[in-house]
Amino acid sequence: MGTYLTKYPLDSLRIEPSIHVDPNLYVVYLIRDPRDIICSRHGKDNDTYWVGLKYWNLFLPVCRRLRKHERFVPLKYEKFVEHPNAVQDVLERALPLGERKHHFGDYHNHAEVSDDAEDALGDVRPISAESVGRWEDHRPRVAGQIELHGDITEDLLALGYEQTRGWTSELAGTDPFLEGSHYEEFANEKEISSLRAGRYREAAKRVAENVIGKRILRQSCESAA
């Protein structure tokens, strides 16, 4: 099984056709409380919130459509950072992974990261749940994003991040922060259209690679016989 790891969120728009045509493709789809997502900052721009709710509204529908696919594994960020080794056990049962070399909880002792990743993270550190619920310290940001992009209560309820609709009372009396994010606040339709068109090229590429791979394997078996 080939392995492809991406942290580029827009790749979410390219996986649907591929997972249906490539039996070797497994998708681990990380889900996080959207309120924490929009309050995150990046090492490359610590003075600005990194992304807004536009990405949540773009990508959650993909998760909804694929959530029952046998090779689609939704994973909550909060569960991962709170219980990394337990999540590792779950993934090893769901995916055809190789032999375990280390526990997820020991990641910081063994990881070698790229320069870009180090710029974003600051350094390699132990997996921690300290960022869970950070949005409560950024209520103006949450209120502003909801004003710009719409209510997210139904999503929070569906994913178990809230149990009642009354959570919005925590934003009462908050002056919304309406300044933009590092990335454009609203979807660039040209970019999104290009990515959606590219998903079919990606799927076609995977089909071709599988056909060629099977042909090579068959020829090797015939030669060996």
Side-chain angles (χ1 to χ4, degrees):
M1 179 187 69
T3 301
Y4 177 62
L5 175 65
T6 176
K7 284 188 67 178
Y8 183 50
L10 287 172
D11 282 342
S12 299
L13 300 180
R14 303 198 308 179
I15 63 176
E16 282 188 79
S18 291
I19 200 171
H20 292 303
V21 302
D22 185 353
N24 297 314
L25 176 63
Y26 289 76
V27 175
V28 178
Y29 202 83
L30 198 65
I31 303 167
R32 186 179 182 186
D33 188 327
R35 297 167 295 186
D36 284 338
I37 293 175
I38 61 176
C39 293
S40 292
R41 300 182 190 270
H42 194 284
K44 293 182 177 179
D45 187 0
N46 276 316
D47 296 327
T48 309
Y49 291 111
W50 196 242
V51 297
L53 280 175
K54 80 167 182 182
Y55 287 113
W56 178 258
N57 292 331
L58 280 171
F59 304 146
L60 185 61
V62 175
C63 183
R64 286 174 174 155
R65 290 192 293 270
L66 292 178
R67 68 186 185 279
K68 294 184 179 180
H69 193 286
E70 60 182 1
R71 286 181 280 104
F72 183 84
V73 185
L75 171 63
K76 279 192 173 181
Y77 169 88
E78 294 79 10
K79 186 174 182 179
F80 171 69
V81 296
E82 291 168 357
H83 307 288
N85 292 339
V87 167
Q88 186 175 13
D89 292 337
V90 171
L91 292 180
E92 287 178 341
R93 291 193 295 269
L95 307 173
L97 300 174
E99 181 181 354
R100 179 188 296 194
K101 294 183 179 180
H102 308 290
H103 290 291
F104 280 179
D106 294 328
Y107 159 83
H108 59 291
N109 293 323
H110 306 283
E112 295 181 6
V113 300
S114 67
D115 291 341
D116 283 345
E118 191 165 351
D119 287 342
L121 298 171
D123 57 11
V124 178
R125 55 189 183 273
I127 296 171
S128 168
E130 66 180 8
S131 63
V132 174
R134 185 175 289 173
W135 69 268
E136 295 183 16
D137 296 325
H138 299 263
R139 286 182 172 85
R141 166 67 169 177
V142 176
Q145 284 291 296
I146 288 174
E147 184 168 323
L148 290 170
H149 297 281
D151 186 42
I152 54 174
T153 296
E154 295 304 319
D155 296 340
L156 297 176
L157 291 171
L159 291 168
Y161 287 119
E162 290 292 342
Q163 302 305 311
T164 71
R165 291 176 174 78
W167 79 273
T168 54
S169 63
E170 298 183 50
L171 304 179
T174 300
D175 291 330
F177 177 86
L178 296 172
E179 293 184 23
S181 309
H182 176 88
Y183 281 100
E184 292 181 7
E185 200 59 53
F186 295 96
N188 180 325
E189 290 301 327
K190 182 178 180 180
E191 180 182 20
I192 299 304
S193 297
S194 176
L195 283 163
R196 284 176 172 159
R199 63 185 176 178
Y200 296 108
R201 291 193 295 271
E202 176 70 19
K205 176 184 174 183
R206 289 179 177 275
V207 170
E209 288 175 346
N210 283 331
V211 169
I212 293 171
K214 289 178 181 178
R215 184 179 302 160
I216 293 173
L217 178 61
R218 183 174 65 251
Q219 291 173 346
S220 297
C221 292
E222 292 172 351
S223 297

